[in-house]
Amino acid sequence: MVDWNAMSDDAFREEVRAFFEQNYPEPLRYILRRARWEEMKDWWRRLYEQGWIAPNWPVKEGGMGLDAGKMVIYLEEMERHGVARAPDQGITQVGPIIMKFGTEAQRAYYLPRTLSGEIIWCQGYSEPNAGSDLASLQTSAVPDGGHFVVNGQKIWTTLAHDATHIYLLARTARQGKKQEGISFFLVDLKTAGISIRPIRNLAMHEEFCEVFFDNVRIPRAALVGGLNEGWTIAKALLGYERLNIGSPRRPAYALQRLEQVARAKGLLSDAGFVDRFTAVKLDLEDLAALYARFVDQVKRGKDLGPEVSVLKIWAMEAWQRVTDLLLEIGDEQGVMPGIQEVAGVEADFLNPFYYARPATIYGGSSEIQRNILAKYVLRLPG
Ligand SMILES: Cc1cc2nc3c(=O)[nH]c(=O)nc-3n(C[C@H](O)[C@H](O)[C@H](O)COP(=O)(O)OP(=O)(O)OC[C@H]3O[C@@H](n4cnc5c(N)ncnc54)[C@H](O)[C@@H]3O)c2cc1C
């Protein structure tokens, strides 16, 4: 068993880079949309066989157990080579939750299958009238003998059409505070009564879906943690989601292209441009440092508190600043979809811009993250 953390950073970087270069499928480099499972499954298997599918998981659970510094290197190398994000909510979000809150039976069943790709997860949180105000969710799970019966609708469920399972928040009590009547379930999407309808986005990609539950009977064993105790789990999962979203890997592509095009256009000797370019470059350096701090916190076994909201805000807003600048220097070609040639450099200007737009919404909008910081970190009066 290799102890990756004991390797020098340079040696680790070299090893990861060589592996990505030799194994990642060329046609899937730098695709600027969420990759579908069908495209990514061979790569998933390759990473799994290598033991590298879960860089964030502890070694005893089948992960790489990377420390913060190595984690950043791993993500930087993914980005450098244009490796797409696989349908990875199982690895980045619900896996750590099952490790922490799941029963022995849930851990034994779900964790190995999540690693191998036999189980692919999607997130069933948002509803048509419960996004920012997630605790208002109305999808219900009513106990019935050895089962719960689920009715309701989820929306914006990323890649539900590729998933085999959904982690679901449902209302199990209506009295008292709304946060105290929510439970967290693990549900097989093949269960009778579930239907999935894709939604097409502005870039014409069917990246998310609506998921409908019509008298869906799920076993009692689908419940994670205690009945009506799902809100704590939901928040812990959002912490992991914000950590993952906050990784510096996505803005890095846009920055790389920005630098190439700017150099080709001679903009790196234009003081006005250099001023703006340096500002976004430093924003991303700050992001990498902030991300490493939170990864380290998780590795030391400490919970992600509300502070992780600052990472989410910084990562997403910095990404938007980079993609704004990229679109701007693309001139008139910049607003054309697909790969365009500007000053002899081929780049996609519009898609990174589109891709970064919803980033200040998903995983909890920037406004909500600012509210969280104000209330729980700065303790400002409400
Ligand atoms: C690309 C993408 C992928 C997604 N994937 C998933 C997924 O896989 N699973 C899932 O469950 N959900 C997913 N979502 C949904 C996402 O979590 C919600 O869109 C988000 O929580 C915001 O909710 P909403 O869309 O209902 O907007 P609303 O809550 O209606 O908010 C609308 C606007 O009002 C602002 N606002 C709302 N309340 C306040 C307040 N109290 N103070 C200040 N401003 C406020 C918001 O910031 C926002 O700008 C995804 C969304 C996107 C865009």
Side-chain angles (χ1 to χ4, degrees):
M1 182 82 54
V2 186
D3 180 357
W4 303 109
N5 296 327
M7 281 172 94
S8 75
D9 284 357
D10 286 347
F12 180 69
R13 188 180 290 283
E14 213 174 288
E15 177 133 3
V16 172
R17 181 174 295 186
F19 181 79
F20 288 164
E21 285 177 354
Q22 283 158 25
N23 292 280
Y24 186 69
E26 191 63 30
L28 292 176
R29 292 184 67 195
Y30 297 111
I31 51 167
L32 287 158
R33 54 182 167 76
R34 279 304 292 270
R36 302 294 302 271
W37 173 245
E38 201 44 43
E39 301 170 289
M40 294 302 279
K41 64 181 199 291
D42 292 343
W43 169 239
W44 184 292
R45 178 132 293 272
R46 187 69 197 88
L47 272 180
Y48 172 68
E49 285 162 358
Q50 177 77 0
W52 285 14
I53 194 69
N56 58 325
W57 287 23
V59 173
K60 70 176 170 39
E61 303 289 3
M64 291 173 85
L66 297 187
D67 65 25
K70 295 288 188 302
M71 188 72 198
V72 170
I73 293 173
Y74 184 95
L75 292 168
E76 280 175 356
E77 288 305 313
M78 273 182 90
E79 197 54 47
R80 197 193 69 86
H81 195 65
V83 176
R85 185 178 163 200
D88 59 2
Q89 289 104 310
I91 302 294
T92 58
Q93 297 177 23
V94 77
I97 289 294
I98 295 171
M99 282 174 217
K100 186 162 177 174
F101 297 96
T103 59
E104 263 318 305
Q106 285 167 337
R107 293 164 68 104
Y109 182 78
Y110 290 112
L111 295 178
R113 288 170 176 80
T114 299
L115 283 175
S116 69
E118 185 184 333
I119 291 182
I120 301 293
W121 293 95
C122 62
Q123 181 190 64
Y125 273 32
S126 306
E127 297 182 5
N129 292 309
S132 299
D133 184 13
L134 183 61
S136 295
L137 60 91
Q138 292 300 322
T139 294
S140 62
V142 177
D144 180 27
H147 288 78
F148 288 92
V149 179
V150 181
N151 278 289
Q153 182 198 342
K154 297 291 169 179
I155 194 167
W156 314 125
T157 320
T158 299
L159 297 179
H161 41 358
D162 284 353
T164 60
H165 287 66
I166 187 167
Y167 44 98
L168 178 76
L169 290 182
R171 182 153 300 287
T172 39
R174 297 203 176 269
Q175 63 279 13
K177 273 179 72 180
K178 55 190 180 182
Q179 286 84 351
E180 289 165 7
I182 292 172
S183 302
F184 190 104
F185 298 96
L186 305 174
V187 179
D188 187 334
L189 284 168
K190 285 192 301 298
T191 318
I194 299 180
S195 45
I196 297 173
R197 195 159 72 193
I199 302 171
R200 187 164 291 184
N201 69 15
L202 189 64
M204 305 302 280
H205 302 143
E206 289 183 346
E207 168 174 317
F208 35 47
C209 301
E210 293 173 286
V211 184
F212 300 89
F213 298 83
D214 182 13
N215 285 320
V216 176
R217 292 179 70 78
I218 58 172
R220 282 241 168 200
L223 177 69
V224 181
L227 190 66
N228 299 324
E229 289 172 8
W231 190 245
T232 309
I233 302 177
K235 281 196 302 184
L237 186 137
L238 283 171
Y240 292 123
E241 183 179 8
R242 284 166 194 158
L243 178 65
N244 179 51
I245 291 174
S247 91
R249 62 179 292 253
R250 280 177 292 183
Y253 166 80
L255 188 77
Q256 221 181 66
R257 287 296 188 265
L258 181 64
E259 188 159 4
Q260 279 175 345
V261 177
R263 179 164 292 116
K265 289 180 80 175
L267 287 172
L268 293 183
S269 47
D270 172 325
F273 178 82
V274 168
D275 223 23
R276 296 169 70 198
F277 176 71
T278 309
V280 289
K281 199 165 177 173
L282 291 175
D283 284 350
L284 295 199
E285 302 263 323
D286 286 344
L287 174 62
L290 192 63
Y291 176 74
R293 173 197 181 284
F294 283 107
V295 170
D296 189 51
Q297 191 170 321
V298 172
K299 286 284 164 308
R300 284 187 287 111
K302 295 188 76 183
D303 287 339
L304 283 169
E307 297 85 353
V308 75
S309 291
V310 80
L311 177 72
K312 208 270 166 177
I313 296 172
W314 191 252
M316 302 297 92
E317 296 187 359
W319 186 18
Q320 290 186 347
R321 287 194 285 279
V322 181
T323 56
D324 288 351
L325 205 48
L326 181 65
L327 190 70
E328 196 180 312
I329 71 164
D331 299 330
E332 63 278 8
Q333 288 103 303
V335 292
M336 305 291 286
I339 301 284
Q340 304 294 324
E341 193 186 310
V342 173
V345 178
E346 289 200 331
D348 190 334
F349 298 85
L350 190 58
N351 251 323
F353 176 82
Y354 276 161
Y355 203 36
R357 284 314 94 184
T360 44
I361 302 173
Y362 57 68
S365 71
S366 282
E367 289 83 358
I368 296 301
Q369 303 315 301
R370 287 190 166 85
N371 287 351
I372 292 172
L373 291 174
K375 189 165 173 188
Y376 300 106
V377 179
L378 302 173
R379 309 240 171 236
L380 299 178

